[in-house]
Amino acid sequence: MPFTGTTWRGIVWNGSVFLVTSNNQRAATIQRYFADDILPALSDILSAECVQSGLLTGGDIDVSALTGTTVRGYRVGSVGAIRAAIDPLQGAWPFDVVQHGYVIRFLARGGASVVTIPEEDLDARADGQAPGVQITVSREMDSQLPRRVTVQHLDYDREYNTGTQYAERINTAAINAMQLDLPLVLTSTEAAGKAEVLLYLYWLERYDVAISLPPTYLHLEPGDVVTLETPEGNVSLRLTAISYTSDGRVECKAKYNSAAIYTPTAVGEPSAVTSTPTISVQGGSRYVLMDIPTVHTDQTYAVGFVAAMCGAFSSGWAGGNLMTSTDGGATWSTAATFSAPGATIGYATNAIGDVDERTIDCASLLQVELYNGELFSITESAMLSGGNYFAYGADGRWEIIAAQNCTLQGDGSYWLTNLLRGRNGTEWAMSLHSIGDTLVLLDPDDIQLITLSAAAISQSRLYRAITEGRDISTDSDRSFAYQGVNLKPLSLLGGNMSRNTATDDLTLYAYRRSRIVDEWRDYVDIDIGESVESYEWDICTDNTYSSVLRTLSATGTNNVIYTAAEQTADFGAVQTTLSFVIYQMSSTVGRGYPTYRTYIR
């Protein structure tokens, strides 16, 4: 975003202008821009095309004779000559382009006569020359003229799909058909009128007329309409070319002119449109990368994190791809593909605090706005069986929750009540929430596991969310480092300490939980979830747990002995009160989440 003055200025997706002060005070001003429905003038388009060439300026062009004509739409498909850009406009709205002094003048056809030429001026000749022919007329054969003129156009009533209208001359033996492809937005009636005008114009102008005038007509220019007085009656001509002889005569070439043909009467066949078409706006993609504990059996031993994606701004989102780069953005590969309508993603408009995770939280009310999707209430039994589970929070502090009641409000938001809190060992994150935290419904059908290698743990990679059919450049880089949270052992269920009164040795115990998602079975302990059962105890100076004196470890058992000699070495005497931190160990990611304990024995 360009920096101007004391504000950063940038265009946001809905057409607003977003202004933020440079000292990061989070002040913002929203100013909306609205497009008007005023159609551009033909004169403005012609001026813009000529000036864009770089050869002409606004002072070199006179389009004043074309004011009042508007254009619904004009497609320029490629870079080319000015003539190529003007030809379609000239075919739809006939006009002449002539030199007038040092200015290029655009003249609409069908104008009034500028002069009436009497019969005696029609055969101007040099002194001594014999009388000549007053009016010379040549005519194109009818067989060379079109019987039918067809106009293809961008149909205004059919969302700019191609439309076709035609005009046909019945009382002729001509068989030729002419088709014009006009890259213009027209209604069916407008296109039919263009076809009618062009057909009659071809037949009217099949005559080439030549006349010779005295020097008194030196003011005439190509494009002018003149009226000739003849014994058969007055004749209207449109001058197409003028040359000047050495003796001062004005030799003119012309076409027959009729102002009436430029006002068509044709009515086009209405387009076969049965309903108003809807154009889906794709927009960008919104995505969430979640390094969360194991919530599905696919995560149990997999090295990888969970991702969710949906449309950023519109319901027309057709799906997207999560792209990743391991070389700083030099190359990209597809990590996952998401289909429409995408995951249910939103954000919290309030923050809920710490509660007892062992019971249903009936006191908290979580207010949620959704970017995509919808929520439904379920029974308590369904919730306890794994329904309506959410990731709530942000990277590094995700809490897994479940909600029985998801109540839709009048403003489109939801209230979530009767909550299960701190699921899957995330009770430590309950007190860390803030307003605006992300909420993602952990529906297995909408989220995906992004698998990595063990070497990728703690390594930052770049990610982009690219809407289906769009370019990699349509999103910016997001750096994310997977920390192996799904492989991390949970904090322990508890611990204990006992004393050997004969030796003063202390035995420290660890009572584990399992990160494995599994059912309870009678008389069978839940799976350890690791390749081997292993623990570490950090012996601390006091119950602030800030200073570690010694680390004890045990493998294959859940207890370790802290001897009297070790106590004396660490504290100077045998201890009756002891504070320590317990960790279950993982062979992949090391220490799990800590459990803090202080005992008196």
Side-chain angles (χ1 to χ4, degrees), residues 159-176:
E159 296 296 333
Y160 304 156
N161 284 331
T162 302
T164 302
Q165 300 292 331
Y166 72 91
E168 187 172 9
R169 185 182 179 99
I170 303 299
N171 58 341
T172 179
I175 61 172
N176 291 338

PDB file of all heavy atoms in Angstrom, residues 159-176:
ATOM      1  N   GLU A 159     -26.097 -11.435 -20.454  1.00  0.00           N
ATOM      2  CA  GLU A 159     -24.807 -11.374 -19.764  1.00  0.00           C
ATOM      3  C   GLU A 159     -23.628 -11.386 -20.739  1.00  0.00           C
ATOM      4  O   GLU A 159     -22.622 -12.060 -20.530  1.00  0.00           O
ATOM      5  CB  GLU A 159     -24.680 -12.528 -18.755  1.00  0.00           C
ATOM      6  CG  GLU A 159     -25.673 -12.473 -17.628  1.00  0.00           C
ATOM      7  CD  GLU A 159     -25.495 -11.267 -16.740  1.00  0.00           C
ATOM      8  OE1 GLU A 159     -24.363 -10.770 -16.660  1.00  0.00           O
ATOM      9  OE2 GLU A 159     -26.483 -10.816 -16.137  1.00  0.00           O
ATOM     10  N   TYR A 160     -23.794 -10.634 -21.873  1.00  0.00           N
ATOM     11  CA  TYR A 160     -22.743 -10.447 -22.863  1.00  0.00           C
ATOM     12  C   TYR A 160     -22.407 -11.708 -23.647  1.00  0.00           C
ATOM     13  O   TYR A 160     -21.348 -11.779 -24.271  1.00  0.00           O
ATOM     14  CB  TYR A 160     -21.477  -9.874 -22.228  1.00  0.00           C
ATOM     15  CG  TYR A 160     -21.696  -8.571 -21.493  1.00  0.00           C
ATOM     16  CD1 TYR A 160     -20.831  -8.170 -20.484  1.00  0.00           C
ATOM     17  CD2 TYR A 160     -22.773  -7.748 -21.786  1.00  0.00           C
ATOM     18  CE1 TYR A 160     -21.027  -6.975 -19.792  1.00  0.00           C
ATOM     19  CE2 TYR A 160     -22.979  -6.564 -21.112  1.00  0.00           C
ATOM     20  CZ  TYR A 160     -22.110  -6.178 -20.116  1.00  0.00           C
ATOM     21  OH  TYR A 160     -22.308  -5.002 -19.447  1.00  0.00           O
ATOM     22  N   ASN A 161     -23.286 -12.701 -23.612  1.00  0.00           N
ATOM     23  CA  ASN A 161     -23.109 -13.819 -24.534  1.00  0.00           C
ATOM     24  C   ASN A 161     -23.380 -13.322 -25.958  1.00  0.00           C
ATOM     25  O   ASN A 161     -24.044 -12.304 -26.171  1.00  0.00           O
ATOM     26  CB  ASN A 161     -24.067 -14.959 -24.193  1.00  0.00           C
ATOM     27  CG  ASN A 161     -23.597 -15.728 -22.981  1.00  0.00           C
ATOM     28  OD1 ASN A 161     -22.412 -15.806 -22.722  1.00  0.00           O
ATOM     29  ND2 ASN A 161     -24.542 -16.276 -22.227  1.00  0.00           N
ATOM     30  N   THR A 162     -22.905 -14.068 -26.931  1.00  0.00           N
ATOM     31  CA  THR A 162     -23.055 -13.636 -28.323  1.00  0.00           C
ATOM     32  C   THR A 162     -24.508 -13.681 -28.762  1.00  0.00           C
ATOM     33  O   THR A 162     -25.195 -14.688 -28.578  1.00  0.00           O
ATOM     34  CB  THR A 162     -22.204 -14.525 -29.245  1.00  0.00           C
ATOM     35  OG1 THR A 162     -20.836 -14.449 -28.842  1.00  0.00           O
ATOM     36  CG2 THR A 162     -22.337 -14.068 -30.690  1.00  0.00           C
ATOM     37  N   GLY A 163     -24.973 -12.579 -29.336  1.00  0.00           N
ATOM     38  CA  GLY A 163     -26.308 -12.507 -29.916  1.00  0.00           C
ATOM     39  C   GLY A 163     -26.213 -12.252 -31.413  1.00  0.00           C
ATOM     40  O   GLY A 163     -25.199 -11.733 -31.902  1.00  0.00           O
ATOM     41  N   THR A 164     -27.256 -12.601 -32.172  1.00  0.00           N
ATOM     42  CA  THR A 164     -27.251 -12.447 -33.634  1.00  0.00           C
ATOM     43  C   THR A 164     -28.577 -11.854 -34.091  1.00  0.00           C
ATOM     44  O   THR A 164     -29.644 -12.360 -33.708  1.00  0.00           O
ATOM     45  CB  THR A 164     -27.029 -13.805 -34.329  1.00  0.00           C
ATOM     46  OG1 THR A 164     -25.792 -14.368 -33.890  1.00  0.00           O
ATOM     47  CG2 THR A 164     -26.983 -13.620 -35.841  1.00  0.00           C
ATOM     48  N   GLN A 165     -28.515 -10.795 -34.893  1.00  0.00           N
ATOM     49  CA  GLN A 165     -29.685 -10.191 -35.516  1.00  0.00           C
ATOM     50  C   GLN A 165     -29.346  -9.927 -36.984  1.00  0.00           C
ATOM     51  O   GLN A 165     -28.176  -9.753 -37.330  1.00  0.00           O
ATOM     52  CB  GLN A 165     -30.067  -8.886 -34.816  1.00  0.00           C
ATOM     53  CG  GLN A 165     -30.421  -9.023 -33.348  1.00  0.00           C
ATOM     54  CD  GLN A 165     -31.721  -9.779 -33.121  1.00  0.00           C
ATOM     55  OE1 GLN A 165     -32.622  -9.753 -33.977  1.00  0.00           O
ATOM     56  NE2 GLN A 165     -31.827 -10.454 -31.978  1.00  0.00           N
ATOM     57  N   TYR A 166     -30.379  -9.915 -37.847  1.00  0.00           N
ATOM     58  CA  TYR A 166     -30.093  -9.709 -39.270  1.00  0.00           C
ATOM     59  C   TYR A 166     -31.200  -8.868 -39.907  1.00  0.00           C
ATOM     60  O   TYR A 166     -32.314  -8.720 -39.371  1.00  0.00           O
ATOM     61  CB  TYR A 166     -29.969 -11.051 -39.991  1.00  0.00           C
ATOM     62  CG  TYR A 166     -31.270 -11.797 -40.172  1.00  0.00           C
ATOM     63  CD1 TYR A 166     -32.042 -11.615 -41.331  1.00  0.00           C
ATOM     64  CD2 TYR A 166     -31.740 -12.673 -39.207  1.00  0.00           C
ATOM     65  CE1 TYR A 166     -33.237 -12.284 -41.503  1.00  0.00           C
ATOM     66  CE2 TYR A 166     -32.928 -13.347 -39.363  1.00  0.00           C
ATOM     67  CZ  TYR A 166     -33.679 -13.155 -40.511  1.00  0.00           C
ATOM     68  OH  TYR A 166     -34.872 -13.819 -40.674  1.00  0.00           O
ATOM     69  N   ALA A 167     -30.861  -8.306 -41.084  1.00  0.00           N
ATOM     70  CA  ALA A 167     -31.827  -7.617 -41.946  1.00  0.00           C
ATOM     71  C   ALA A 167     -31.649  -8.170 -43.355  1.00  0.00           C
ATOM     72  O   ALA A 167     -30.530  -8.453 -43.785  1.00  0.00           O
ATOM     73  CB  ALA A 167     -31.594  -6.115 -41.925  1.00  0.00           C
ATOM     74  N   GLU A 168     -32.774  -8.317 -44.095  1.00  0.00           N
ATOM     75  CA  GLU A 168     -32.714  -8.952 -45.417  1.00  0.00           C
ATOM     76  C   GLU A 168     -33.535  -8.160 -46.421  1.00  0.00           C
ATOM     77  O   GLU A 168     -34.624  -7.657 -46.100  1.00  0.00           O
ATOM     78  CB  GLU A 168     -33.233 -10.389 -45.318  1.00  0.00           C
ATOM     79  CG  GLU A 168     -33.054 -11.187 -46.597  1.00  0.00           C
ATOM     80  CD  GLU A 168     -33.388 -12.655 -46.395  1.00  0.00           C
ATOM     81  OE1 GLU A 168     -33.909 -13.009 -45.315  1.00  0.00           O
ATOM     82  OE2 GLU A 168     -33.127 -13.448 -47.311  1.00  0.00           O
ATOM     83  N   ARG A 169     -33.008  -8.059 -47.649  1.00  0.00           N
ATOM     84  CA  ARG A 169     -33.715  -7.391 -48.750  1.00  0.00           C
ATOM     85  C   ARG A 169     -34.365  -8.476 -49.597  1.00  0.00           C
ATOM     86  O   ARG A 169     -33.677  -9.313 -50.191  1.00  0.00           O
ATOM     87  CB  ARG A 169     -32.734  -6.562 -49.575  1.00  0.00           C
ATOM     88  CG  ARG A 169     -33.378  -5.724 -50.674  1.00  0.00           C
ATOM     89  CD  ARG A 169     -32.308  -4.987 -51.456  1.00  0.00           C
ATOM     90  NE  ARG A 169     -32.882  -4.192 -52.533  1.00  0.00           N
ATOM     91  CZ  ARG A 169     -33.118  -2.892 -52.473  1.00  0.00           C
ATOM     92  NH1 ARG A 169     -32.800  -2.230 -51.372  1.00  0.00           N
ATOM     93  NH2 ARG A 169     -33.629  -2.228 -53.498  1.00  0.00           N
ATOM     94  N   ILE A 170     -35.672  -8.460 -49.657  1.00  0.00           N
ATOM     95  CA  ILE A 170     -36.422  -9.547 -50.304  1.00  0.00           C
ATOM     96  C   ILE A 170     -36.498  -9.346 -51.814  1.00  0.00           C
ATOM     97  O   ILE A 170     -36.321 -10.295 -52.596  1.00  0.00           O
ATOM     98  CB  ILE A 170     -37.839  -9.652 -49.712  1.00  0.00           C
ATOM     99  CG1 ILE A 170     -37.745  -9.851 -48.199  1.00  0.00           C
ATOM    100  CG2 ILE A 170     -38.593 -10.799 -50.366  1.00  0.00           C
ATOM    101  CD1 ILE A 170     -37.013 -11.098 -47.778  1.00  0.00           C
ATOM    102  N   ASN A 171     -36.753  -8.110 -52.274  1.00  0.00           N
ATOM    103  CA  ASN A 171     -37.022  -7.856 -53.702  1.00  0.00           C
ATOM    104  C   ASN A 171     -35.728  -7.681 -54.483  1.00  0.00           C
ATOM    105  O   ASN A 171     -35.477  -6.632 -55.090  1.00  0.00           O
ATOM    106  CB  ASN A 171     -37.910  -6.629 -53.863  1.00  0.00           C
ATOM    107  CG  ASN A 171     -37.309  -5.391 -53.239  1.00  0.00           C
ATOM    108  OD1 ASN A 171     -36.427  -5.501 -52.392  1.00  0.00           O
ATOM    109  ND2 ASN A 171     -37.772  -4.222 -53.671  1.00  0.00           N
ATOM    110  N   THR A 172     -34.888  -8.714 -54.479  1.00  0.00           N
ATOM    111  CA  THR A 172     -33.647  -8.671 -55.234  1.00  0.00           C
ATOM    112  C   THR A 172     -33.223 -10.086 -55.594  1.00  0.00           C
ATOM    113  O   THR A 172     -33.608 -11.052 -54.932  1.00  0.00           O
ATOM    114  CB  THR A 172     -32.524  -8.001 -54.407  1.00  0.00           C
ATOM    115  OG1 THR A 172     -31.314  -8.008 -55.177  1.00  0.00           O
ATOM    116  CG2 THR A 172     -32.285  -8.748 -53.112  1.00  0.00           C
ATOM    117  N   ALA A 173     -32.428 -10.170 -56.673  1.00  0.00           N
ATOM    118  CA  ALA A 173     -31.894 -11.472 -57.072  1.00  0.00           C
ATOM    119  C   ALA A 173     -30.534 -11.735 -56.431  1.00  0.00           C
ATOM    120  O   ALA A 173     -29.940 -12.799 -56.652  1.00  0.00           O
ATOM    121  CB  ALA A 173     -31.772 -11.534 -58.590  1.00  0.00           C
ATOM    122  N   ALA A 174     -30.047 -10.761 -55.654  1.00  0.00           N
ATOM    123  CA  ALA A 174     -28.750 -10.947 -54.992  1.00  0.00           C
ATOM    124  C   ALA A 174     -28.837 -12.099 -53.994  1.00  0.00           C
ATOM    125  O   ALA A 174     -29.870 -12.331 -53.353  1.00  0.00           O
ATOM    126  CB  ALA A 174     -28.341  -9.666 -54.277  1.00  0.00           C
ATOM    127  N   ILE A 175     -27.740 -12.808 -53.869  1.00  0.00           N
ATOM    128  CA  ILE A 175     -27.724 -13.968 -52.966  1.00  0.00           C
ATOM    129  C   ILE A 175     -26.624 -13.854 -51.904  1.00  0.00           C
ATOM    130  O   ILE A 175     -26.501 -14.715 -51.035  1.00  0.00           O
ATOM    131  CB  ILE A 175     -27.527 -15.273 -53.752  1.00  0.00           C
ATOM    132  CG1 ILE A 175     -26.188 -15.252 -54.502  1.00  0.00           C
ATOM    133  CG2 ILE A 175     -28.694 -15.520 -54.694  1.00  0.00           C
ATOM    134  CD1 ILE A 175     -25.830 -16.576 -55.153  1.00  0.00           C
ATOM    135  N   ASN A 176     -25.812 -12.804 -51.984  1.00  0.00           N
ATOM    136  CA  ASN A 176     -24.706 -12.684 -51.036  1.00  0.00           C
ATOM    137  C   ASN A 176     -25.218 -12.418 -49.621  1.00  0.00           C
ATOM    138  O   ASN A 176     -26.233 -11.729 -49.423  1.00  0.00           O
ATOM    139  CB  ASN A 176     -23.759 -11.555 -51.454  1.00  0.00           C
ATOM    140  CG  ASN A 176     -22.994 -11.897 -52.719  1.00  0.00           C
ATOM    141  OD1 ASN A 176     -22.851 -13.063 -53.055  1.00  0.00           O
ATOM    142  ND2 ASN A 176     -22.513 -10.878 -53.419  1.00  0.00           N
TER     143      ASN A 176
END
